Amino acid sequence: MKNTGVQSSTQQVNSSLENQRATQAPAGKLQMVRKQGIIIQPEVASTSSSSMRSPAGRTRLVIAPSKPTLGTTAESVESHGRKTLKARSISRNHFSGDAKLSEKHNLTSTTDSLNTARHQIKQDYCLLALLKGFDADKDLSHASQQLHQFLENNGTKGPELQKRLTAILQQFKSQPELAKLLNQPATTLTSLLNAKNINHFRIDITDTIRTPERLDKRETGLGHTLRLNDKGDWKELYKSYDLSNQHDAKTIKKAHDEVFAAHPLTEIKEGSTTEFHVVLGDGKYGKCIPVVDIKTGLVEAGKKSSIIDVAKDDYKNASKLAKLVSDKNKHLYNVPKSLGISVSSKFEMKKGKTPEPAPQSLTTFALGRTSDEFYIAEKNIDLYAKKQYESFEDKFFEQVKRLVTLVQALEEDQLVQPDFKPENVVDFKHIDIGEIQSLKDTFKPTGLTPDYTMPGTRTKLKLNEMELKTYNRFSLGASLLNCVSAYFASDDNVPNALRLPVTNGFFSRGYYTEALDHVPEELGYTDEDKPVTDAMKLTLQFVKHLMADDRSIAAKIDLNQWVKDIGQARISQQT
């Protein structure tokens, strides 16, 4: 779809974080403020849905054409005192009450109620979908063993599902021709096993299994919701888990001990020592949580988003980017592994319309073993507040080297990252790489974070060659400024020598040439003076050159030489 325009919305920084900018540091600890970005995304034309649910949630109404068309029948449906037409497709694979389904492979006896029949259909679909996820079409015996193990101690319905699985497998054994259909969709197999109820209650299976790519824990009774990706793999979502549960402990405890326990966003449930809530990241497009591939047991990071077009574009662009990156630098990028899209448990509220289930994407990545560089910088600044200057210098110097190396990798492959910042660096790798663009293509200023964005990016119709060439360097300077001082150049309380003017939320210019070597003697955090060490002064000068208003100055910088000089200026290097 061709985009006809763009719209932007600014995510405001939480007021509690803004309060941390006070000049007085609380209890000897200096606080850093994590900045949110500006979302610039294509306008999405509103579309009207042809289907909706009644307020009671019982009858699905579908607006039929004025005349029944070939392949459909129309029946009158009573709903809240009104009659409307319901069009149903009668295709070969659409098992509705209008088409008599063969009961040759039926497993389930006719139940007493429609609700019971639907519950059984949902259970069977869950089991068959997961069985296929374990490659049952290749090796049914091995897949059934894996699924039995997966269901063990899994949620409140695990034992019940295990019994039903045993019955299904017995049906496959007694009817070998049924097992041969395991390469068919799980909905097809579910329909065959529940033919009597489908025929008796005239059940439309597509209306019963509304979200085939999502197995919601509230419906399945399993411990966690599962999502299907584009490769046919099921991912178990672990936003919350309980290590006293055998299933959770077996699946996630190792990752919890090595990564999540020390993660700054991990929360423990009040009154518990084993229940945890984990968010690995909370960005402008959605949250990132732990997910587990049920077939391999691999723990990954899963980024959830309700902005589907952006998620699709990022996934596509990331795949394209992987081909542009040189072999030398591939290890510096966290390329997404899979993408899944399904309807979420939340509803979209649109004015004047019935609430509809909201679509949601899940993009998976290799799990980061450390916090992002912003949190690392926050811990480093705390060392400075405690007057541990030598340790502080050595720690932030490691960050200087990491961030410079990542920018050098971008420059070597002629790439530009519109939103380069410490929050987008994990495990010494670029993340959110779907935004990275080739300098050979037309630059698109998407996903910008004001305090890291070069002046003119939003206001100019087109950046010139010099500006594009040094774009990453401006963002690098802003990142290093925050890492070494906990300030942004736009902060009200930043020393005058480091402040830059802001217009409409973005910098209006860089640092003047004559002031590039002028840096403050102190940072003004507290009443008690704390020195700006030689290594810090040199880093701040490096920052100002990278963020110079004259971009030709930034272009001429020898990054390696500056890093070498900063390293030699550290206290630990003095004799």
Side-chain angles (χ1 to χ4, degrees):
M1 179 181 293
K2 185 176 181 180
N3 299 324
T4 57
V6 297
Q7 61 182 5
S8 64
S9 62
T10 306
Q11 293 189 344
Q12 299 296 328
V13 180
N14 187 285
S15 60
S16 64
L17 291 179
E18 288 289 357
N19 292 335
Q20 294 175 2
R21 286 182 165 186
T23 55
Q24 297 294 323
K29 181 173 181 177
L30 303 179
Q31 299 291 322
M32 297 175 65
V33 180
R34 179 183 290 264
K35 285 301 185 80
Q36 300 297 321
I38 297 294
I39 302 176
I40 301 179
Q41 63 187 68
E43 289 183 349
V44 180
S46 62
T47 58
S48 59
S49 174
S50 62
S51 63
M52 63 184 73
R53 290 186 62 81
S54 67
R58 291 192 296 269
T59 306
R60 189 182 186 192
L61 306 179
V62 181
I63 301 174
S66 56
K67 294 182 180 180
T69 57
L70 184 63
T72 65
T73 61
E75 62 175 297
S76 179
V77 179
E78 186 77 21
S79 176
H80 299 281
R82 294 185 302 171
K83 290 186 177 182
T84 185
L85 290 178
K86 181 174 183 179
R88 281 182 172 175
S89 170
I90 308 181
S91 64
R92 181 177 302 174
N93 292 320
H94 187 90
F95 298 102
S96 72
D98 294 327
K100 185 72 173 179
L101 185 63
S102 170
E103 299 179 4
K104 177 181 178 181
H105 302 296
N106 184 78
L107 173 62
T108 307
S109 301
T110 304
T111 59
D112 295 333
S113 70
L114 174 61
N115 286 339
T116 303
R118 282 180 169 167
H119 173 72
Q120 190 62 72
I121 288 173
K122 290 178 180 180
Q123 273 201 338
D124 285 359
Y125 175 76
C126 170
L127 291 169
L128 291 164
L130 293 178
L131 200 60
K132 287 176 63 65
F134 283 115
D135 295 331
D137 56 329
K138 298 177 182 177
D139 189 338
L140 177 58
S141 176
H142 182 63
S144 60
Q145 290 177 7
Q146 287 185 297
L147 183 51
H148 264 297
Q149 292 173 4
F150 175 77
L151 295 173
E152 191 171 351
N153 300 306
N154 192 338
T156 59
K157 297 292 185 179
E160 180 181 326
L161 289 168
Q162 282 182 308
K163 291 180 181 179
R164 181 62 179 178
L165 176 60
T166 300
I168 291 175
L169 294 173
Q170 186 60 42
Q171 187 79 339
F172 283 151
K173 185 177 180 180
S174 63
Q175 297 187 12
E177 70 275 14
L178 180 61
K180 293 179 181 179
L181 297 176
L182 281 168
N183 60 345
Q184 296 294 313
T187 48
T188 300
L189 293 168
T190 302
S191 298
L192 294 174
L193 293 178
N194 291 271
K196 284 187 177 180
N197 276 326
I198 289 175
N199 290 332
H200 179 74
F201 291 106
R202 300 171 63 82
I203 295 173
D204 184 342
I205 195 169
T206 59
D207 193 54
T208 301
I209 304 172
R210 292 177 174 272
T211 58
E213 301 87 8
R214 176 189 176 91
L215 299 175
D216 195 301
K217 63 182 180 181
R218 288 167 293 188
E219 290 194 348
T220 63
L222 294 173
H224 304 275
T225 295
L226 293 110
R227 298 275 299 272
L228 187 67
N229 69 9
D230 57 340
K231 296 176 173 57
D233 302 319
W234 285 98
K235 306 292 183 179
E236 196 175 14
L237 310 189
Y238 271 85
K239 184 171 65 175
S240 299
Y241 52 84
D242 184 356
L243 294 180
S244 66
N245 173 267
Q246 293 183 32
H247 174 79
D248 287 7
K250 177 182 177 181
T251 305
I252 207 79
K253 188 177 188 308
K254 187 174 186 293
H256 172 84
D257 292 342
E258 295 177 354
V259 182
F260 307 143
H263 196 282
L265 293 182
T266 295
E267 298 177 353
I268 187 168
K269 185 177 179 180
E270 186 176 355
S272 174
T273 59
T274 61
E275 297 176 79
F276 297 88
H277 179 84
V278 180
V279 175
L280 300 175
D282 192 358
K284 53 185 175 288
Y285 292 137
K287 293 183 178 181
C288 192
I289 64 171
V291 301
V292 177
D293 187 298
I294 67 168
K295 186 165 58 178
T296 65
L298 185 65
V299 181
E300 302 169 318
K303 181 180 178 182
K304 299 193 298 182
S305 175
S306 58
I307 309 178
I308 305 302
D309 289 341
V310 172
K312 287 182 177 179
D313 287 344
D314 282 355
Y315 186 63
K316 180 180 178 181
N317 293 339
S319 300
K320 184 190 301 183
L321 174 71
K323 300 176 182 178
L324 298 176
V325 175
S326 60
D327 291 339
K328 170 189 173 185
N329 295 324
K330 286 188 184 298
H331 68 286
L332 298 176
Y333 296 84
N334 192 343
V335 180
K337 302 172 70 174
S338 69
L339 173 68
I341 297 175
S342 68
V343 175
S344 75
S345 58
K346 297 181 180 179
F347 284 78
E348 289 183 319
M349 305 298 292
K350 296 181 179 180
K351 188 175 181 180
K353 294 186 177 181
T354 303
E356 297 179 355
Q360 188 180 71
S361 65
L362 179 70
T363 308
T364 60
F365 303 83
L367 178 66
R369 312 303 291 186
T370 63
S371 303
D372 65 44
E373 294 291 324
F374 182 91
Y375 282 117
I376 294 174
E378 190 177 49
K379 292 180 179 179
N380 295 348
I381 288 292
D382 196 35
L383 294 174
Y384 180 80
K386 295 176 181 178
K387 300 183 179 181
Q388 299 176 24
Y389 303 128
E390 184 173 335
S391 295
F392 165 67
E393 283 187 342
D394 290 343
K395 292 286 187 180
F396 91 69
F397 179 62
E398 289 301 315
Q399 278 198 295
V400 170
K401 291 191 294 183
R402 286 195 293 267
L403 295 175
V404 166
T405 298
L406 289 173
V407 166
Q408 287 176 319
L410 290 170
E411 293 182 348
E412 287 173 7
D413 293 322
Q414 299 185 57
L415 301 171
V416 59
Q417 162 61 296
D419 197 27
F420 180 85
K421 57 184 178 181
E423 293 94 319
N424 283 342
V425 177
V426 175
D427 277 353
F428 188 24
K429 295 180 180 181
H430 290 284
I431 61 172
D432 277 349
I433 66 173
E435 298 174 342
I436 297 178
Q437 304 167 35
S438 172
L439 287 175
K440 298 177 182 178
D441 299 331
T442 302
F443 178 68
K444 299 176 182 178
T446 60
L448 306 178
T449 303
D451 278 296
Y452 298 97
T453 301
M454 189 174 67
T457 304
R458 289 290 310 280
T459 56
K460 293 184 178 180
L461 293 176
K462 183 178 180 181
L463 297 179
N464 61 43
E465 183 178 354
M466 182 65 70
E467 290 169 331
L468 282 173
K469 182 180 178 181
T470 61
Y471 187 98
N472 296 317
R473 295 192 172 198
F474 188 95
S475 300
L476 171 63
S479 298
L480 294 179
L481 173 60
N482 195 237
C483 289
V484 74
S485 71
Y487 282 124
F488 291 100
S490 63
D491 288 346
D492 293 334
N493 58 335
V494 67
N496 289 333
L498 301 176
R499 183 179 292 119
L500 286 177
V502 174
T503 302
N504 295 326
F506 287 81
F507 295 124
S508 56
R509 64 167 175 82
Y511 293 110
Y512 288 134
T513 302
E514 59 271 19
L516 296 183
D517 292 324
H518 180 211
V519 295
E521 293 295 327
E522 60 181 52
L523 296 176
Y525 291 129
T526 64
D527 292 335
E528 181 182 2
D529 289 337
K530 289 186 173 63
V532 177
T533 66
D534 290 342
M536 292 174 69
K537 288 180 181 178
L538 203 56
T539 303
L540 292 174
Q541 290 174 344
F542 183 32
V543 164
K544 297 188 74 172
H545 281 73
L546 290 168
M547 300 174 71
D549 195 53
D550 182 351
R551 300 312 296 157
S552 65
I553 294 175
K556 297 174 184 177
I557 291 176
D558 184 337
L559 298 178
N560 290 328
Q561 187 60 52
W562 274 94
V563 171
K564 181 180 178 180
D565 292 344
I566 293 170
Q568 292 176 345
R570 288 175 294 157
I571 297 172
S572 62
Q573 302 302 304
Q574 308 307 310
T575 56

